[in-house]
Amino acid sequence: MDFQSEEPDDMSHTLTVQWTIEPQTAPRPWLACSRCRRQRPFESSGKTRLNANGQRLDAWLIYRCNECDDSWNRPIFERRNVRDISPALLDALQNNDGPWIRRFAFDIDDLRRSCDRVEEFSASSVMRRALSGRPQDCTHIGIDLIVAMTASLRLDRLLSAELGLSRARLARLVDAERLVVTPSTRKGLQRPIRNGTRIVLDLSSQPDRAEIIERALAEPPPG
Ligand SMILES: [Zn+2]
């Protein structure tokens, strides 16, 4: 064993894990339902509709009122020349491609363009994978976030729930510069989670370091 490691300290004592975060419930548009005669939440039916007019195509994702089944067509694109549509997209739309539709249903920024009132859900599943480092001799954890779909979950809520640390304690760690988020933003821990975020946590002075590291690596048992 090489005790004269050339690795810088902060590398050899960092356990790097990757968390892949999948939101569980797609955002819901609230729309005036003509049949219910009031505002209702609508949900994706998982079906698209394509309409051709010469060389121009319209595509929508069909939503249904969760009370009466009345429908709403969410634009995917409108009046687009067929030549400007990628074959992959056309194929996904013609075949009601499940993964493509799911990604579109979760695209909250796009949904906001066609609807004023959007209900968001923060419940997410977190898949953990160790990338490097040995849990027994690390003092720091690096957490890389993979967030394929836009999520409305705040970073401090994610870390608090998954690592078992109170949000007050997380804020103290930030103040002591023992919790660093990159890329850094003005809102820091209060912003929604974003793909590519890296969190580095210095646990060298935390008495419950082993428990925190364990939770970074494996989901805590329910209850
Ligand atoms: Zn309705």
Side-chain angles (χ1 to χ4, degrees), residues 44-208:
S44 165
S45 68
K47 299 245 181 338
T48 54
R49 214 186 112 197
L50 266 175
N51 186 42
N53 192 335
Q55 286 300 298
R56 305 260 159 196
L57 286 185
D58 298 302
W60 301 277
L61 176 59
I62 299 165
Y63 281 69
R64 301 229 171 254
C65 168
N66 81 341
E67 190 68 32
C68 76
D69 242 26
D70 205 14
S71 66
W72 172 62
N73 292 344
R74 173 181 168 193
I76 297 169
F77 52 74
E78 289 173 299
R79 309 270 124 198
R80 192 177 292 178
N81 195 303
V82 69
R83 285 195 310 265
D84 300 332
I85 303 163
S86 75
L89 175 56
L90 208 52
D91 191 59
L93 295 173
Q94 279 167 335
N95 295 299
N96 278 308
D97 180 70
W100 189 92
I101 290 171
R102 183 175 154 80
R103 263 197 317 280
F104 186 73
F106 276 91
D107 186 343
I108 195 167
D109 297 328
D110 181 89
L111 178 58
R112 286 211 173 93
R113 282 195 275 274
S114 44
C115 170
D116 291 333
R117 184 176 167 202
V118 174
E119 184 181 7
E120 301 177 48
F121 301 89
S122 59
S124 301
S125 66
V126 179
M127 279 174 296
R128 297 153 158 90
R129 193 158 78 91
L131 295 181
S132 62
R134 294 186 308 172
Q136 60 274 26
D137 44 36
C138 65
T139 52
H140 294 60
I141 327 177
I143 302 170
D144 293 334
L145 297 188
I146 307 277
V147 189
M149 293 182 280
T150 38
S152 41
L153 178 60
R154 275 170 41 163
L155 186 54
D156 56 354
R157 291 184 195 275
L158 171 77
L159 293 175
S160 175
E162 301 302 324
L163 295 176
L165 304 173
S166 71
R167 283 192 281 148
R169 187 169 168 197
L170 290 169
R172 283 197 301 275
L173 287 165
V174 170
D175 289 342
E177 295 179 353
R178 289 183 181 275
L179 196 172
V180 177
V181 179
T182 46
S184 66
T185 60
R186 193 173 51 84
K187 281 190 155 182
L189 286 184
Q190 281 153 41
R191 70 179 183 146
I193 55 171
R194 285 288 172 260
N195 188 44
T197 299
R198 182 176 169 82
I199 299 120
V200 176
L201 201 46
D202 174 358
L203 298 171
S204 51
S205 61
Q206 306 300 313
D208 53 351

Side-chain angles (χ1 to χ4, degrees), residues 33-37 40 42 65-70:
C33 176
S34 54
R35 210 180 293 171
C36 295
R37 297 178 174 276
R40 289 284 193 202
F42 280 61
C65 168
N66 81 341
E67 190 68 32
C68 76
D69 242 26
D70 205 14

